[in-house]
């Protein structure tokens, strides 16, 4: 599970920001929203609010960049803050893995395409909540500062190329600690699924629907339960599709769900309404298709203890459905799955029945920078309690992360130009 994400000089973030999933156990409310393991307490869900173009998606991009680095994938999209002359991006993640807490940080010089710093630390915690850091690896090429639990590797680290992080550059089988570090980091990164609801592929659901197993059945149940009118959802052979007056060459309305190379695969996803089978791709609403695409990720996360990071969770989806999805992850039956998502739907901003205060986050910006902060930062002394009407306060701008459109000026300009043209024509 993710405990904290750190970023500095990445995308819109100039100064250091920290997004935390650490639960405040002084608060006993909604205990089922917290995963507890070996004296560590981690939130199961968090929703991130903010105006368009404030930086919510950039936070998702930071998580994606960390995952890409750990899995040895290209990070061509990683970029420093456009207002900074510094080419070095700094990213870090703290996470819980099999009851152990680890922290990994790196610095990447975008211009030189070099990793100039990386560190891997284990954080030990005793029964009295005292924490102790144990350094597994430190590679600071700028200051020639190196440390490693595999002492025989120490003399080699300074001469290893900086084109990648260390465990992707060497044969780790010869170094027990670095090899274990590699397994921990890659295993953790492989548990993260990053989803953009405005461009969510159906491929993942199709792959699960092909296999007649318990997981496939649970995906179908999820989709059926999410749609009041849907009797069944299945993957069938082409000769099993019977359509009245439909053209199989017709394309889906949404470009984001229209993948020509997988068209014949998608056409085999069939929805049943009142006993009539129809291709989901051509007949279902955008929201239903997005739910079908999301279903496989949700079920796998809950079944296998995965982490899903969703950008624009509420895109084309009814607010009661997004609330129900969040509630699944907050439920006490969920023991090790986690969901982090960006959202605009204020109906989810419920600290009485759905969220603890530290589960609601905001991204806001002004002329001086971009800020990432939690609702928990607003204390009772500041007039924000668990019993407060959070939605009303948000709408009134109490938490700053609220757009302030002045579109009336556009209308006035349009009408002003029209009247001016009428006068000129006379």
């Amino acid at each position: 599970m993710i405990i904290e994400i750190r970023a500095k000089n990445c995308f819109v973030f100039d100064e250091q920001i920290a997004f935390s999933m650490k639960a405040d156990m002084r608060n006993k409310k909604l205990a089922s929203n917290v995963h507890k393991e070996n004296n560590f307490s981690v939130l199961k869900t968090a929703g991130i609010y903010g105006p368009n173009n404030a930086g919510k998606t950039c936070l998702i991009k930071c998580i994606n960049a960390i995952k890409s680095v750990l899995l040895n994938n290209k990070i061509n999209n990683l970029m420093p803050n456009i207002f900074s002359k510094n080419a070095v991006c700094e990213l870090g993640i703290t996470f819980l893995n099999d009851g152990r807490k680890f922290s990994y940080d790196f610095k990447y010089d975008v211009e030189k395409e070099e990793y100039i710093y990386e560190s891997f630390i284990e954080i030990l915690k005793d029964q009295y909540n005292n924490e102790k850091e144990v350094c597994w690896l430190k590679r600071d090429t700028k200051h020639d500062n190196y440390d490693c639990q595999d002492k025989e590797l120490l003399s080699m680290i300074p001469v290893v190329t900086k084109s990648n992080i260390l465990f992707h550059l060497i044969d780790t089988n010869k170094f027990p600690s670095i090899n274990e570090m590699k397994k921990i980091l890659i295993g953790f990164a492989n548990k993260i699924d990053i989803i953009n609801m405005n461009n969510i592929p159906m491929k993942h659901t199709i792959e699960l629907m092909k296999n007649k197993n318990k997981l496939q059945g649970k995906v179908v149940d999820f989709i059926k339960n999410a749609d009041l009118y849907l009797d069944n959802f299945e993957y069938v052979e082409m000769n099993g599709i019977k359509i009245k007056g439909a053209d199989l060459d017709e394309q889906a309305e949404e470009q984001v769900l229209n993948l020509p190379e997988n068209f014949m695969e998608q056409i085999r996803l069939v929805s049943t309404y009142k006993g009539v089978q129809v291709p989901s791709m051509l007949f279902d609403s955008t929201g239903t298709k997005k739910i079908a695409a999301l279903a496989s990720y949700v079920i796998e996360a809950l079944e296998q203890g995965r982490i899903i990071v969703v950008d624009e969770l509420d895109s084309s989806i009814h607010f009661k459905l997004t609330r129900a999805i969040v509630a699944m992850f907050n439920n006490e039956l969920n023991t090790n799955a986690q969901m982090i998502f960006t959202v605009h739907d204020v109906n989810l901003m419920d600290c009485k029945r759905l969220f603890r205060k530290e589960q609601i986050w905001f991204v806001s910006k002004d002329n001086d920078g971009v800020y990432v902060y939690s609702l928990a930062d607003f204390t009772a002394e500041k007039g924000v309690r668990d019993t407060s009407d959070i939605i009303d306060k948000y709408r009134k701008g109490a938490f700053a992360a609220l757009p302030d459109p002045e579109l009336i000026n556009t209308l006035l300009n349009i009408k002003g130009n029209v009247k001016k043209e009428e006068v000129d024509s006379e």
Side-chain angles (χ1 to χ4, degrees), residues 67-333:
K67 176 182 177 179
S68 297
V69 167
L70 295 179
L71 296 181
N72 200 21
N73 296 328
K74 291 183 178 180
I75 54 168
N76 295 333
N77 63 334
L78 182 59
M79 59 181 290
N81 183 270
I82 60 173
F83 301 110
S84 171
K85 296 180 181 179
N86 182 8
V88 178
C89 296
E90 302 181 25
L91 287 168
I93 188 166
T94 302
F95 60 96
L96 194 65
N97 186 75
D98 291 332
R100 300 167 69 185
K101 183 178 178 181
F102 299 98
S103 184
Y104 182 77
D105 292 84
F106 67 87
K107 299 178 183 179
Y108 180 71
D109 190 317
V110 175
E111 292 180 356
K112 296 180 180 179
E113 297 185 349
E114 292 179 345
Y115 291 86
I116 63 173
Y117 175 92
E118 65 174 311
S119 69
F120 183 66
I121 294 169
E122 181 172 7
I123 298 99
L124 305 177
K125 193 173 187 179
D126 64 21
Q127 59 182 328
Y128 306 107
N129 289 327
N130 298 311
E131 292 190 349
K132 175 185 176 182
E133 293 186 353
V134 178
C135 180
W136 287 46
L137 171 70
K138 184 176 182 180
R139 183 172 69 143
D140 186 346
T141 63
K142 185 176 181 180
H143 301 97
D144 288 325
N145 189 358
Y146 307 97
D147 193 9
C148 184
Q149 286 196 338
D150 294 308
K151 299 304 179 184
E152 61 274 26
L153 183 59
L154 267 176
S155 60
M156 295 174 52
I157 296 178
V159 296
V160 174
T161 177
K162 294 178 282 187
S163 62
N164 209 329
I165 57 177
L166 185 65
F167 68 74
H168 287 314
L169 295 169
I170 63 174
D171 182 0
T172 60
N173 291 314
K174 298 179 181 180
F175 307 102
S177 294
I178 295 299
N179 193 47
E180 185 180 356
M181 166 185 156
K182 179 180 180 179
K183 290 178 180 178
I184 291 169
L185 287 171
I186 290 179
F188 170 72
N190 274 322
K191 288 183 178 180
I192 302 174
D193 292 313
I194 299 175
I195 307 159
N196 181 350
M197 287 298 288
N198 292 317
N199 189 24
I200 182 170
M202 192 69 77
K203 181 179 179 181
H204 195 64
T205 293
I206 290 173
E207 292 303 315
L208 285 185
M209 293 297 295
K210 287 180 180 180
N211 302 312
K212 304 291 183 181
N213 53 33
K214 291 183 179 179
L215 204 60
Q216 183 243 39
K218 292 174 183 177
V219 171
V220 173
D221 284 342
F222 179 92
I223 297 169
K224 288 167 60 178
N225 291 331
D227 193 309
L228 294 175
Y229 310 102
L230 188 64
D231 298 330
N232 197 16
F233 189 84
E234 56 189 321
Y235 182 85
V236 303
E237 298 298 328
M238 284 303 297
N239 57 13
I241 305 174
K242 295 180 172 60
I243 312 169
K244 294 181 180 179
D247 182 1
L248 286 182
D249 291 328
E250 181 183 347
Q251 300 292 300
E253 287 184 19
E254 311 86 1
Q255 187 175 358
V256 295
L257 293 168
N258 175 21
L259 303 176
E261 65 273 16
N262 295 322
F263 180 79
M264 296 312 294
E265 287 273 73
Q266 291 195 40
I267 206 73
R268 291 166 71 174
L269 286 177
V270 170
S271 300
T272 303
Y273 297 93
K274 296 181 180 180
V276 179
Q277 289 185 327
V278 293
S280 170
M281 180 180 173
L282 300 180
F283 285 84
D284 287 340
S285 70
T286 300
T288 296
K289 281 179 277 193
K290 287 189 176 183
I291 283 295
L294 180 64
S296 54
Y297 293 101
V298 170
I299 296 302
E300 272 195 342
L302 294 168
E303 188 84 6
Q304 301 172 6
R306 298 181 64 81
I307 302 163
I308 58 174
V309 181
V310 188
D311 198 9
E312 304 283 3
L313 175 65
D314 54 336
S315 174
S316 302
I317 298 178
H318 194 277
F319 76 89
K320 294 194 72 173
L321 189 50
T322 55
R323 186 185 180 96
I325 293 172
V326 173
M328 290 176 71
F329 282 83
N330 280 339
N331 195 283
E332 60 185 8
L333 295 177

Side-chain angles (χ1 to χ4, degrees), residues 18-32:
F19 168 78
S20 176
M21 295 293 290
K22 185 178 180 180
D24 182 358
M25 295 316 296
R26 294 172 300 179
N27 181 3
K28 305 301 181 184
K29 190 175 181 180
L30 298 174
S32 64

